[in-house]
Amino acid sequence: MKRIYLTAAALMAMLHSYAQSSLPDTGYTARKLKVEEVNLVSSYYHQDGNNAAVTGGIGSEKLTDISNSIDVKLIRHDRKNRKHSYLLDVGIDHYTSASSDMIDLKANSSASHADTRIYPSLGWTMENEAKGSTIGAGVSASKEFDYLSLGGNVMFAQKTKNRMGEFTAKLQVYLDQVSLVTPIELRASQTREHEHYPTASRNTFAGSFSYSQIINERLQVMFLADVVQQHGYLSLPFHRVYFTDGSVHQEQLPSNRFKLPIGFRGSYFIGDRFILRGYYRYYTDNWGVHAHTAELEVPVKISPFFSVSPFYRYYQQSAAKYFAGYQTHQAGEDYYTSNYDLSKFTSQFIGAGIHFTPPGGVFGIKQLNTLELRYGHYYRSTKMNANIISLNLKFK
Amino acid sequence: MKKFHNLKLSLCGISLSALALCSSCTTVKEYQKNRLNDAEMVLGNRKIEKTELNFQSYREGASGANAGKSGGGCGCN
């Protein structure tokens, strides 16, 4: 009997020492830089309508855009156990546009009918989990034939003491250069040579503020507000405006624009299968555009690894005070545009997405963590409509 | 005048919602966050919405307040 007790005590001691040795050492965190995730996002977008701004508010708005981007997120912990995240993102879009082709009205297919845009960006954040704070900075660029944009940003975030809320502030600056590509009939020399267009600057300064709050185990909300000031050449040089007297002019818009959007987001988990994701935004600016946006998405969990997400978005805006249609503007006006993106309209965007995250990886590929596919149809009351399909592959 | 009325209304609505929601906040422990941490519960924009947000900001007069980019780039054709 004594031998049994001794054997049991020895086994217990062995198990106890094994259990202790298998406990993770919480003081240690790998400091080596490692890949957290890689995302490949591809989209195909096609639109059509009959109010192209290049031809003064009439003419085809047909446009096709294929975009591909890759982002790589790397993380490491420093000696103070702060988490550093690095995000490298490179995107490339190629588009063909019927309206851009009409910069030269006589051309059947001019150089401007297609273009490629490249937009790399680099970001860094440092999260101090002990203090609940994060700081970050980033730079970005975007280049297409007639446009160059250079951007920079800094951010700060602080969680509340109980970690249920978080305030975030981000300051963004974009210093852009617009090449002044004029409609060909308005050029001093009506040739198609376009080696050296003059440029004009367009600068954007934006402050973005948000506060997110966990309400309970199923509900979280976020309040958002941006303050945006734009200064410089805010027109597009190849947009035509036809006056009532039949004369043609280049679009003229003020050199300042102040934008103030405020928004609210909420996510609510109903039962075990349904999620409600809601969004509302009110927008106003000093050009006279006031807009409301409301969106609802309802992801349905078919299984723990597969969900289907139908969504609907409604948008309405008032016209900018400088907008009027084809041959409506009068001589003597200081500012004028026939760009229907600044007209009064409503739009609806409806579609669905699927989200697939199987435990063994998508198609059995362990590193391929998630596959997402999303389709949407967009209809604007100016009779412009568009379709977009996007694919996201996430590797971990 | 109408725009300020709309802005005031929106601000009031959002502030009231904030007060009502925050007053009912409870502390949620890490192990109780499995639903909140679900990928579909994310409050920001998802990667797959990137091109959608781009085209909406070009085709509509309003932009911003979506935790995304607030300017730069063109693609306005």
PDB file of all heavy atoms in Angstrom, chain B residues 7-36:
ATOM      1  N   LEU B   7     -26.433  69.754 -40.230  1.00  0.00           N
ATOM      2  CA  LEU B   7     -25.226  69.399 -39.484  1.00  0.00           C
ATOM      3  C   LEU B   7     -25.532  69.296 -37.993  1.00  0.00           C
ATOM      4  O   LEU B   7     -25.116  68.350 -37.325  1.00  0.00           O
ATOM      5  CB  LEU B   7     -24.135  70.442 -39.744  1.00  0.00           C
ATOM      6  CG  LEU B   7     -22.784  70.202 -39.070  1.00  0.00           C
ATOM      7  CD1 LEU B   7     -22.159  68.905 -39.569  1.00  0.00           C
ATOM      8  CD2 LEU B   7     -21.823  71.354 -39.341  1.00  0.00           C
ATOM      9  N   LYS B   8     -26.315  70.282 -37.487  1.00  0.00           N
ATOM     10  CA  LYS B   8     -26.693  70.276 -36.066  1.00  0.00           C
ATOM     11  C   LYS B   8     -27.490  69.020 -35.734  1.00  0.00           C
ATOM     12  O   LYS B   8     -27.257  68.370 -34.720  1.00  0.00           O
ATOM     13  CB  LYS B   8     -27.544  71.507 -35.741  1.00  0.00           C
ATOM     14  CG  LYS B   8     -26.736  72.714 -35.303  1.00  0.00           C
ATOM     15  CD  LYS B   8     -27.698  73.798 -34.911  1.00  0.00           C
ATOM     16  CE  LYS B   8     -27.022  75.151 -34.841  1.00  0.00           C
ATOM     17  NZ  LYS B   8     -28.013  76.231 -34.747  1.00  0.00           N
ATOM     18  N   LEU B   9     -28.454  68.713 -36.628  1.00  0.00           N
ATOM     19  CA  LEU B   9     -29.286  67.519 -36.406  1.00  0.00           C
ATOM     20  C   LEU B   9     -28.432  66.266 -36.360  1.00  0.00           C
ATOM     21  O   LEU B   9     -28.607  65.421 -35.478  1.00  0.00           O
ATOM     22  CB  LEU B   9     -30.318  67.392 -37.533  1.00  0.00           C
ATOM     23  CG  LEU B   9     -31.644  68.105 -37.330  1.00  0.00           C
ATOM     24  CD1 LEU B   9     -32.525  67.905 -38.554  1.00  0.00           C
ATOM     25  CD2 LEU B   9     -32.365  67.550 -36.096  1.00  0.00           C
ATOM     26  N   SER B  10     -27.495  66.150 -37.325  1.00  0.00           N
ATOM     27  CA  SER B  10     -26.634  64.964 -37.373  1.00  0.00           C
ATOM     28  C   SER B  10     -25.776  64.883 -36.126  1.00  0.00           C
ATOM     29  O   SER B  10     -25.616  63.810 -35.534  1.00  0.00           O
ATOM     30  CB  SER B  10     -25.736  64.998 -38.608  1.00  0.00           C
ATOM     31  OG  SER B  10     -26.524  65.019 -39.744  1.00  0.00           O
ATOM     32  N   LEU B  11     -25.198  66.024 -35.726  1.00  0.00           N
ATOM     33  CA  LEU B  11     -24.354  66.043 -34.530  1.00  0.00           C
ATOM     34  C   LEU B  11     -25.148  65.660 -33.288  1.00  0.00           C
ATOM     35  O   LEU B  11     -24.684  64.874 -32.459  1.00  0.00           O
ATOM     36  CB  LEU B  11     -23.733  67.428 -34.338  1.00  0.00           C
ATOM     37  CG  LEU B  11     -22.491  67.719 -35.179  1.00  0.00           C
ATOM     38  CD1 LEU B  11     -22.090  69.183 -35.072  1.00  0.00           C
ATOM     39  CD2 LEU B  11     -21.325  66.827 -34.765  1.00  0.00           C
ATOM     40  N   CYS B  12     -26.370  66.237 -33.181  1.00  0.00           N
ATOM     41  CA  CYS B  12     -27.237  65.919 -32.040  1.00  0.00           C
ATOM     42  C   CYS B  12     -27.578  64.434 -32.005  1.00  0.00           C
ATOM     43  O   CYS B  12     -27.479  63.781 -30.960  1.00  0.00           O
ATOM     44  CB  CYS B  12     -28.542  66.705 -32.105  1.00  0.00           C
ATOM     45  SG  CYS B  12     -28.321  68.389 -31.579  1.00  0.00           S
ATOM     46  N   GLY B  13     -27.955  63.904 -33.175  1.00  0.00           N
ATOM     47  CA  GLY B  13     -28.325  62.489 -33.278  1.00  0.00           C
ATOM     48  C   GLY B  13     -27.187  61.594 -32.860  1.00  0.00           C
ATOM     49  O   GLY B  13     -27.352  60.665 -32.058  1.00  0.00           O
ATOM     50  N   ILE B  14     -25.999  61.890 -33.390  1.00  0.00           N
ATOM     51  CA  ILE B  14     -24.833  61.057 -33.097  1.00  0.00           C
ATOM     52  C   ILE B  14     -24.438  61.203 -31.623  1.00  0.00           C
ATOM     53  O   ILE B  14     -24.119  60.218 -30.960  1.00  0.00           O
ATOM     54  CB  ILE B  14     -23.673  61.383 -34.071  1.00  0.00           C
ATOM     55  CG1 ILE B  14     -24.015  60.813 -35.454  1.00  0.00           C
ATOM     56  CG2 ILE B  14     -22.349  60.819 -33.580  1.00  0.00           C
ATOM     57  CD1 ILE B  14     -23.049  61.115 -36.555  1.00  0.00           C
ATOM     58  N   SER B  15     -24.497  62.433 -31.085  1.00  0.00           N
ATOM     59  CA  SER B  15     -24.143  62.633 -29.671  1.00  0.00           C
ATOM     60  C   SER B  15     -25.120  61.901 -28.755  1.00  0.00           C
ATOM     61  O   SER B  15     -24.709  61.260 -27.779  1.00  0.00           O
ATOM     62  CB  SER B  15     -24.161  64.119 -29.314  1.00  0.00           C
ATOM     63  OG  SER B  15     -23.352  64.821 -30.194  1.00  0.00           O
ATOM     64  N   LEU B  16     -26.418  61.987 -29.072  1.00  0.00           N
ATOM     65  CA  LEU B  16     -27.422  61.294 -28.251  1.00  0.00           C
ATOM     66  C   LEU B  16     -27.222  59.780 -28.299  1.00  0.00           C
ATOM     67  O   LEU B  16     -27.289  59.108 -27.268  1.00  0.00           O
ATOM     68  CB  LEU B  16     -28.833  61.648 -28.724  1.00  0.00           C
ATOM     69  CG  LEU B  16     -29.354  63.020 -28.274  1.00  0.00           C
ATOM     70  CD1 LEU B  16     -30.688  63.326 -28.930  1.00  0.00           C
ATOM     71  CD2 LEU B  16     -29.503  63.071 -26.749  1.00  0.00           C
ATOM     72  N   SER B  17     -26.938  59.278 -29.522  1.00  0.00           N
ATOM     73  CA  SER B  17     -26.688  57.831 -29.658  1.00  0.00           C
ATOM     74  C   SER B  17     -25.482  57.453 -28.821  1.00  0.00           C
ATOM     75  O   SER B  17     -25.474  56.419 -28.132  1.00  0.00           O
ATOM     76  CB  SER B  17     -26.398  57.435 -31.103  1.00  0.00           C
ATOM     77  OG  SER B  17     -27.249  58.093 -31.960  1.00  0.00           O
ATOM     78  N   ALA B  18     -24.434  58.308 -28.874  1.00  0.00           N
ATOM     79  CA  ALA B  18     -23.200  58.024 -28.130  1.00  0.00           C
ATOM     80  C   ALA B  18     -23.485  57.957 -26.642  1.00  0.00           C
ATOM     81  O   ALA B  18     -23.050  57.022 -25.958  1.00  0.00           O
ATOM     82  CB  ALA B  18     -22.164  59.102 -28.414  1.00  0.00           C
ATOM     83  N   LEU B  19     -24.246  58.941 -26.140  1.00  0.00           N
ATOM     84  CA  LEU B  19     -24.570  58.975 -24.711  1.00  0.00           C
ATOM     85  C   LEU B  19     -25.366  57.742 -24.305  1.00  0.00           C
ATOM     86  O   LEU B  19     -25.064  57.090 -23.303  1.00  0.00           O
ATOM     87  CB  LEU B  19     -25.371  60.227 -24.382  1.00  0.00           C
ATOM     88  CG  LEU B  19     -24.542  61.497 -24.154  1.00  0.00           C
ATOM     89  CD1 LEU B  19     -25.456  62.697 -24.023  1.00  0.00           C
ATOM     90  CD2 LEU B  19     -23.685  61.335 -22.900  1.00  0.00           C
ATOM     91  N   ALA B  20     -26.389  57.443 -25.109  1.00  0.00           N
ATOM     92  CA  ALA B  20     -27.265  56.304 -24.792  1.00  0.00           C
ATOM     93  C   ALA B  20     -26.470  55.005 -24.787  1.00  0.00           C
ATOM     94  O   ALA B  20     -26.610  54.170 -23.892  1.00  0.00           O
ATOM     95  CB  ALA B  20     -28.394  56.225 -25.801  1.00  0.00           C
ATOM     96  N   LEU B  21     -25.598  54.841 -25.801  1.00  0.00           N
ATOM     97  CA  LEU B  21     -24.836  53.592 -25.907  1.00  0.00           C
ATOM     98  C   LEU B  21     -23.789  53.482 -24.805  1.00  0.00           C
ATOM     99  O   LEU B  21     -23.654  52.445 -24.160  1.00  0.00           O
ATOM    100  CB  LEU B  21     -24.164  53.519 -27.284  1.00  0.00           C
ATOM    101  CG  LEU B  21     -25.092  53.199 -28.452  1.00  0.00           C
ATOM    102  CD1 LEU B  21     -24.406  53.450 -29.769  1.00  0.00           C
ATOM    103  CD2 LEU B  21     -25.561  51.754 -28.388  1.00  0.00           C
ATOM    104  N   CYS B  22     -23.054  54.596 -24.591  1.00  0.00           N
ATOM    105  CA  CYS B  22     -21.957  54.525 -23.627  1.00  0.00           C
ATOM    106  C   CYS B  22     -22.461  54.363 -22.199  1.00  0.00           C
ATOM    107  O   CYS B  22     -21.763  53.805 -21.351  1.00  0.00           O
ATOM    108  CB  CYS B  22     -21.045  55.739 -23.746  1.00  0.00           C
ATOM    109  SG  CYS B  22     -20.148  55.696 -25.306  1.00  0.00           S
ATOM    110  N   SER B  23     -23.673  54.841 -21.930  1.00  0.00           N
ATOM    111  CA  SER B  23     -24.199  54.685 -20.573  1.00  0.00           C
ATOM    112  C   SER B  23     -24.547  53.232 -20.288  1.00  0.00           C
ATOM    113  O   SER B  23     -24.679  52.834 -19.137  1.00  0.00           O
ATOM    114  CB  SER B  23     -25.418  55.583 -20.377  1.00  0.00           C
ATOM    115  OG  SER B  23     -26.435  55.164 -21.250  1.00  0.00           O
ATOM    116  N   SER B  24     -24.737  52.440 -21.356  1.00  0.00           N
ATOM    117  CA  SER B  24     -25.077  51.026 -21.139  1.00  0.00           C
ATOM    118  C   SER B  24     -23.863  50.115 -21.336  1.00  0.00           C
ATOM    119  O   SER B  24     -23.996  48.919 -21.508  1.00  0.00           O
ATOM    120  CB  SER B  24     -26.205  50.614 -22.088  1.00  0.00           C
ATOM    121  OG  SER B  24     -25.780  50.794 -23.412  1.00  0.00           O
ATOM    122  N   CYS B  25     -22.650  50.704 -21.335  1.00  0.00           N
ATOM    123  CA  CYS B  25     -21.440  49.904 -21.555  1.00  0.00           C
ATOM    124  C   CYS B  25     -21.161  48.970 -20.382  1.00  0.00           C
ATOM    125  O   CYS B  25     -21.355  49.349 -19.235  1.00  0.00           O
ATOM    126  CB  CYS B  25     -20.219  50.808 -21.711  1.00  0.00           C
ATOM    127  SG  CYS B  25     -20.309  51.822 -23.163  1.00  0.00           S
ATOM    128  N   THR B  26     -20.686  47.770 -20.705  1.00  0.00           N
ATOM    129  CA  THR B  26     -20.241  46.857 -19.657  1.00  0.00           C
ATOM    130  C   THR B  26     -18.797  46.470 -19.960  1.00  0.00           C
ATOM    131  O   THR B  26     -18.365  46.544 -21.105  1.00  0.00           O
ATOM    132  CB  THR B  26     -21.101  45.576 -19.628  1.00  0.00           C
ATOM    133  OG1 THR B  26     -21.105  45.017 -20.941  1.00  0.00           O
ATOM    134  CG2 THR B  26     -22.520  45.848 -19.189  1.00  0.00           C
ATOM    135  N   THR B  27     -18.068  46.067 -18.931  1.00  0.00           N
ATOM    136  CA  THR B  27     -16.689  45.636 -19.160  1.00  0.00           C
ATOM    137  C   THR B  27     -16.699  44.202 -19.676  1.00  0.00           C
ATOM    138  O   THR B  27     -17.292  43.321 -19.064  1.00  0.00           O
ATOM    139  CB  THR B  27     -15.872  45.728 -17.855  1.00  0.00           C
ATOM    140  OG1 THR B  27     -15.926  47.085 -17.417  1.00  0.00           O
ATOM    141  CG2 THR B  27     -14.428  45.326 -18.078  1.00  0.00           C
ATOM    142  N   VAL B  28     -16.067  44.019 -20.820  1.00  0.00           N
ATOM    143  CA  VAL B  28     -16.035  42.695 -21.443  1.00  0.00           C
ATOM    144  C   VAL B  28     -14.626  42.134 -21.285  1.00  0.00           C
ATOM    145  O   VAL B  28     -13.646  42.772 -21.673  1.00  0.00           O
ATOM    146  CB  VAL B  28     -16.411  42.789 -22.938  1.00  0.00           C
ATOM    147  CG1 VAL B  28     -16.389  41.421 -23.595  1.00  0.00           C
ATOM    148  CG2 VAL B  28     -17.780  43.436 -23.106  1.00  0.00           C
ATOM    149  N   LYS B  29     -14.530  40.959 -20.687  1.00  0.00           N
ATOM    150  CA  LYS B  29     -13.217  40.327 -20.464  1.00  0.00           C
ATOM    151  C   LYS B  29     -12.697  39.746 -21.790  1.00  0.00           C
ATOM    152  O   LYS B  29     -13.481  39.459 -22.701  1.00  0.00           O
ATOM    153  CB  LYS B  29     -13.359  39.197 -19.429  1.00  0.00           C
ATOM    154  CG  LYS B  29     -13.960  39.646 -18.100  1.00  0.00           C
ATOM    155  CD  LYS B  29     -12.923  39.621 -17.026  1.00  0.00           C
ATOM    156  CE  LYS B  29     -13.373  39.952 -15.638  1.00  0.00           C
ATOM    157  NZ  LYS B  29     -14.394  40.907 -15.424  1.00  0.00           N
ATOM    158  N   GLU B  30     -11.392  39.538 -21.852  1.00  0.00           N
ATOM    159  CA  GLU B  30     -10.773  39.028 -23.083  1.00  0.00           C
ATOM    160  C   GLU B  30     -11.434  37.734 -23.567  1.00  0.00           C
ATOM    161  O   GLU B  30     -11.692  37.567 -24.744  1.00  0.00           O
ATOM    162  CB  GLU B  30      -9.275  38.791 -22.876  1.00  0.00           C
ATOM    163  CG  GLU B  30      -8.425  40.060 -22.969  1.00  0.00           C
ATOM    164  CD  GLU B  30      -8.609  40.844 -24.256  1.00  0.00           C
ATOM    165  OE1 GLU B  30      -8.604  40.223 -25.338  1.00  0.00           O
ATOM    166  OE2 GLU B  30      -8.787  42.076 -24.178  1.00  0.00           O
ATOM    167  N   TYR B  31     -11.701  36.812 -22.601  1.00  0.00           N
ATOM    168  CA  TYR B  31     -12.273  35.519 -22.996  1.00  0.00           C
ATOM    169  C   TYR B  31     -13.734  35.640 -23.446  1.00  0.00           C
ATOM    170  O   TYR B  31     -14.312  34.692 -23.968  1.00  0.00           O
ATOM    171  CB  TYR B  31     -12.128  34.488 -21.860  1.00  0.00           C
ATOM    172  CG  TYR B  31     -12.910  34.828 -20.608  1.00  0.00           C
ATOM    173  CD1 TYR B  31     -14.246  34.455 -20.469  1.00  0.00           C
ATOM    174  CD2 TYR B  31     -12.312  35.525 -19.570  1.00  0.00           C
ATOM    175  CE1 TYR B  31     -14.956  34.770 -19.322  1.00  0.00           C
ATOM    176  CE2 TYR B  31     -13.013  35.847 -18.423  1.00  0.00           C
ATOM    177  CZ  TYR B  31     -14.337  35.466 -18.302  1.00  0.00           C
ATOM    178  OH  TYR B  31     -15.048  35.793 -17.179  1.00  0.00           O
ATOM    179  N   GLN B  32     -14.323  36.832 -23.246  1.00  0.00           N
ATOM    180  CA  GLN B  32     -15.720  37.023 -23.684  1.00  0.00           C
ATOM    181  C   GLN B  32     -15.794  37.716 -25.047  1.00  0.00           C
ATOM    182  O   GLN B  32     -16.868  38.057 -25.514  1.00  0.00           O
ATOM    183  CB  GLN B  32     -16.458  37.890 -22.663  1.00  0.00           C
ATOM    184  CG  GLN B  32     -16.590  37.251 -21.289  1.00  0.00           C
ATOM    185  CD  GLN B  32     -17.146  38.221 -20.260  1.00  0.00           C
ATOM    186  OE1 GLN B  32     -16.721  39.369 -20.185  1.00  0.00           O
ATOM    187  NE2 GLN B  32     -18.104  37.767 -19.477  1.00  0.00           N
ATOM    188  N   LYS B  33     -14.615  37.934 -25.671  1.00  0.00           N
ATOM    189  CA  LYS B  33     -14.592  38.724 -26.906  1.00  0.00           C
ATOM    190  C   LYS B  33     -14.608  37.889 -28.187  1.00  0.00           C
ATOM    191  O   LYS B  33     -14.274  38.411 -29.249  1.00  0.00           O
ATOM    192  CB  LYS B  33     -13.348  39.627 -26.908  1.00  0.00           C
ATOM    193  CG  LYS B  33     -13.436  40.792 -25.926  1.00  0.00           C
ATOM    194  CD  LYS B  33     -12.246  41.715 -26.100  1.00  0.00           C
ATOM    195  CE  LYS B  33     -12.314  42.862 -25.121  1.00  0.00           C
ATOM    196  NZ  LYS B  33     -11.083  43.660 -25.115  1.00  0.00           N
ATOM    197  N   ASN B  34     -14.958  36.613 -28.087  1.00  0.00           N
ATOM    198  CA  ASN B  34     -14.898  35.791 -29.300  1.00  0.00           C
ATOM    199  C   ASN B  34     -15.809  36.307 -30.408  1.00  0.00           C
ATOM    200  O   ASN B  34     -15.462  36.282 -31.576  1.00  0.00           O
ATOM    201  CB  ASN B  34     -15.183  34.308 -28.983  1.00  0.00           C
ATOM    202  CG  ASN B  34     -16.554  34.108 -28.395  1.00  0.00           C
ATOM    203  OD1 ASN B  34     -17.040  34.964 -27.647  1.00  0.00           O
ATOM    204  ND2 ASN B  34     -17.197  32.998 -28.718  1.00  0.00           N
ATOM    205  N   ARG B  35     -16.974  36.857 -30.045  1.00  0.00           N
ATOM    206  CA  ARG B  35     -17.877  37.401 -31.073  1.00  0.00           C
ATOM    207  C   ARG B  35     -17.333  38.741 -31.590  1.00  0.00           C
ATOM    208  O   ARG B  35     -17.353  39.012 -32.774  1.00  0.00           O
ATOM    209  CB  ARG B  35     -19.276  37.575 -30.525  1.00  0.00           C
ATOM    210  CG  ARG B  35     -20.006  36.255 -30.344  1.00  0.00           C
ATOM    211  CD  ARG B  35     -21.470  36.490 -30.037  1.00  0.00           C
ATOM    212  NE  ARG B  35     -22.192  35.237 -29.935  1.00  0.00           N
ATOM    213  CZ  ARG B  35     -22.315  34.527 -28.814  1.00  0.00           C
ATOM    214  NH1 ARG B  35     -21.743  34.942 -27.703  1.00  0.00           N
ATOM    215  NH2 ARG B  35     -22.997  33.408 -28.814  1.00  0.00           N
ATOM    216  N   LEU B  36     -16.857  39.579 -30.666  1.00  0.00           N
ATOM    217  CA  LEU B  36     -16.345  40.895 -31.075  1.00  0.00           C
ATOM    218  C   LEU B  36     -15.119  40.762 -31.975  1.00  0.00           C
ATOM    219  O   LEU B  36     -14.884  41.593 -32.844  1.00  0.00           O
ATOM    220  CB  LEU B  36     -15.972  41.719 -29.830  1.00  0.00           C
ATOM    221  CG  LEU B  36     -17.128  42.104 -28.916  1.00  0.00           C
ATOM    222  CD1 LEU B  36     -16.599  42.748 -27.644  1.00  0.00           C
ATOM    223  CD2 LEU B  36     -18.085  43.069 -29.606  1.00  0.00           C
TER     224      LEU B  36
END
